[in-house]
Amino acid sequence: MAQDIPLILAIDQGTTNTKAVLVDAAGKVLAKASAPLASSYPRPGWAEQSADAIWASVQSVIADIVSGDHGFIAGIAISNQRETLVVWDAETGEPLAPAILWQCRRTATDCHALIDAGQDAAVADITGLSINALFPASKLGWVMDNIALARELAERGRLRAGTVDTWLLFKLTAGHVFATDHSNASRTMLFDTAKLEWSTHLCNLFKVPVSALPQALPSNSRFGKTAAGTTALSADTPILTMIGDSHAALYGHGVRAPGLVKATYGTGSSLMTLTEGRVLSRHGLSSTIAWSDERGVAYALEGNITVSAQAIAFAATLLGLDGPRALSDLAQSVSDSGEVVFVPALAGLGAPHWTDDATGTISGMTHATTPAHIARATMEAVTLQIADVFNAMQQDIGMALSGLMADGGASTNDFLMQLQADVLNRPVLRGDQPEVGALGAAAMAFRALGITAPQPSHARHFEPGTMQANARITLLARWHEAVTRVKSQGQVQGDSRHPAPVFY
């Protein structure tokens, strides 16, 4: 292959694995690689990963891609799991402790205390986020309180703390660059998303040293160059782009202006939509920076559902079926759910309801109820949860959204996608590439090179219309009645004031 044809190596660093794809300027994937990652749960509510293992997995996928000798790699793009915290020594490059994963709840009590002290409104005003243990702010505060070496290194100016993108950039450049991008910074609960700077007020609130935080830059900032010997790549390969994974997926769908919603169907579901300027939610969503580039800052609203496609696997097991496909097939054997409603609050209710102590319920059963009705109610539940977030977004931005861009494992189910279109009464477009996040990061990297990548294609369009309007209205009303009951039960059982805004 000619050496003057640029390729982008896009790294998608996730919780369960690290993936890499080699992409050309036409959006074609030339090579793929993947390396698994393990998580540990040393105490109830704790979740950790080895920071060294994260780095080793990145080295592994890069080596796999480079071994194929596909041509000239003009740069690296990074999309990454968000809210995971890594702390390390600037001089040795050694982690001080395991990476504290986004799922970790070790600081939940500390966060609740701050909410009880009336701090939540001020934090939300600065960051767009409600106080929660998910975000790195309280995790870094915990590190400062519990790891003596962290305090010592902070006093000596050697403490480094950052999200996964920052850690990888530091390692790729052999410690020469300590930076993050605005999308990842906006997920720390320490970043003023209006002023685009670290908030000294929040650093003081969470007892975090500002000196330990990276420089925050636009998402396509040409962050640095690879150092010799760090990976199988040639030295001086530019790191062109860094962006959070959900943000990269929105970019990968080609969304550049408000009006469309991206939904990633995974264990949980993540929805994101661009906004005209910075919008603080009043309907249970998070405000965030989607990305930033030479055109300025793109802001977004995000809503995250705790249990989404996982509900399908759960119900399949409950009914003794051979997996999600069997459940989907069974669901399609009936024309409706027979008034059965499944609210899959198996780990509380996420956006936009935020009732942590809610539990799952199946209601509306009679002697006429069959397993097929429960299967159908499960598929409906996935789409109805999406609809709740979709409608909350419309309320916050004051405009109708025109459609949904779908990705993630469960989006490959045609029946689910058609049901989603009918429930939303909006078209649903499904991407034709599973690596939409990595492709989004690659598209941004090409833009940094002055190359405009083509708009992504979508393999299927699902138009609403197979469900009658009155049936849709009845289904939504029955769902909202069931959710209201579940929320009331959760509020009786425990304190629901402390939202956990983001799950994948």
Side-chain angles (χ1 to χ4, degrees):
M1 181 175 292
Q3 288 294 301
D4 60 348
I5 300 177
L7 306 174
I8 295 296
L9 196 162
I11 298 164
D12 184 14
Q13 202 299 299
T15 310
T16 58
N17 55 54
T18 297
K19 298 177 182 178
V21 295
L22 191 64
V23 186
D24 66 15
K28 181 180 179 182
V29 175
L30 304 178
K32 301 179 185 181
S34 180
L37 273 172
S39 299
S40 61
Y41 307 92
R43 300 183 190 180
W46 287 35
E48 300 176 342
Q49 279 183 339
S50 164
D52 285 330
I54 293 173
W55 169 235
S57 71
V58 170
Q59 290 176 303
S60 174
V61 295
I62 289 175
D64 285 349
I65 294 291
V66 172
S67 67
D69 192 24
H70 296 279
F72 171 54
I73 296 177
I76 296 171
I78 296 172
S79 63
N80 58 281
Q81 56 170 308
R82 305 173 303 166
E83 292 100 21
T84 292
L85 175 72
V86 184
V87 290
W88 67 95
D89 184 335
E91 290 192 6
T92 66
E94 294 298 318
L96 273 61
I100 304 176
L101 285 177
W102 56 271
Q103 300 149 308
C104 190
R105 307 297 298 169
R106 72 183 66 183
T107 60
T109 300
D110 295 334
C111 289
H112 293 177
L114 287 172
I115 294 171
D116 290 338
Q119 297 290 343
D120 194 48
V123 171
D125 185 59
I126 295 170
T127 68
L129 309 172
S130 295
I131 294 176
N132 193 265
L134 165 76
F135 302 111
S138 63
K139 296 171 185 171
L140 184 49
W142 181 91
V143 168
M144 301 307 298
D145 285 341
N146 291 275
I147 300 178
L149 182 57
R151 296 193 297 273
E152 178 186 334
L153 291 177
E155 292 170 358
R156 297 164 63 184
R158 286 173 49 181
L159 182 66
R160 298 291 180 264
T163 43
V164 170
D165 60 310
T166 303
W167 168 242
L168 297 182
L169 178 64
F170 184 89
K171 298 300 281 186
L172 285 165
T173 62
H176 291 295
V177 185
F178 181 49
T180 188
D181 94 295
H182 289 149
S183 75
N184 278 289
S186 74
R187 309 305 301 174
T188 62
M189 212 165 63
L190 294 169
F191 194 67
D192 188 321
T193 57
K195 297 180 179 178
L196 302 183
E197 61 186 29
W198 299 112
S199 166
T200 53
H201 170 71
L202 294 183
C203 287
N204 290 333
L205 180 66
F206 289 98
K207 302 176 183 177
V208 167
V210 179
S211 61
L213 300 176
Q215 182 182 13
L217 299 169
S219 308
N220 64 344
S221 286
R222 293 177 173 260
F223 290 88
K225 296 181 178 180
T226 57
T230 56
T231 69
L233 284 166
S234 301
D236 297 328
T237 301
I239 299 102
L240 299 169
T241 291
M242 300 199 303
I243 184 171
D245 51 10
S246 188
H247 316 244
L250 185 67
Y251 199 90
H253 277 294
V255 178
R256 302 290 184 271
L260 290 167
V261 178
K262 180 276 306 181
T264 299
Y265 293 76
T267 299
S269 285
S270 164
L271 282 78
M272 188 177 286
T273 189
L274 293 178
T275 57
E276 293 284 359
R278 186 173 181 262
V279 175
L280 298 181
S281 176
R282 297 187 178 186
H283 298 91
L285 307 176
S286 296
S287 175
T288 192
I289 293 175
W291 56 75
S292 56
D293 57 22
E294 70 282 356
R295 293 168 293 182
V297 180
Y299 289 96
L301 286 173
E302 184 173 18
N304 299 86
I305 298 163
T306 311
V307 175
S308 183
Q310 186 183 35
I312 300 174
F314 172 85
T317 301
L318 196 68
L319 294 174
L321 301 173
D322 187 21
R325 176 55 62 182
L327 185 100
S328 177
D329 291 343
L330 181 61
Q332 293 175 68
S333 69
V334 291
S335 60
D336 58 51
S337 60
E339 300 190 8
V340 174
V341 180
F342 176 26
V343 180
L346 306 177
L349 277 174
H353 306 290
W354 301 123
T355 309
D356 285 355
D357 295 297
T359 56
T361 65
I362 300 175
S363 59
M365 292 188 292
T366 69
H367 285 300
T369 299
T370 68
H373 292 121
I374 296 173
R376 176 117 187 173
T378 302
M379 303 298 285
E380 291 174 348
V382 174
T383 67
L384 289 160
Q385 289 189 108
I386 296 287
D388 282 351
V389 175
F390 190 96
N391 289 327
M393 288 176 166
Q394 293 187 130
Q395 290 177 287
D396 272 334
I397 65 178
M399 64 176 282
L401 295 162
S402 60
L404 188 83
M405 321 288 275
D407 61 80
S411 72
T412 61
N413 186 301
D414 288 355
F415 171 64
L416 182 68
M417 293 298 96
Q418 183 59 58
L419 189 59
Q420 186 71 79
D422 288 332
V423 167
L424 289 177
N425 198 29
R426 299 287 194 283
V428 172
L429 284 67
R430 182 174 65 205
D432 60 0
Q433 291 278 8
E435 302 88 0
V436 64
L439 291 174
M444 182 171 284
F446 276 118
R447 185 173 182 85
L449 293 174
I451 300 171
T452 301
Q455 281 291 99
S457 59
H458 289 86
R460 283 290 305 273
H461 290 217
F462 299 87
E463 296 291 336
T466 64
M467 182 184 293
Q468 295 295 320
N470 61 341
R472 181 173 65 85
I473 292 169
T474 300
L475 177 64
L476 287 166
R478 191 179 295 128
W479 164 257
H480 291 142
E481 290 173 3
V483 169
T484 298
R485 288 194 297 270
V486 167
K487 290 171 67 176
S488 298
Q489 293 166 359
Q491 290 165 358
V492 170
Q493 293 169 1
D495 188 351
S496 65
R497 293 172 299 155
H498 312 304
V502 182
F503 292 88
Y504 298 92

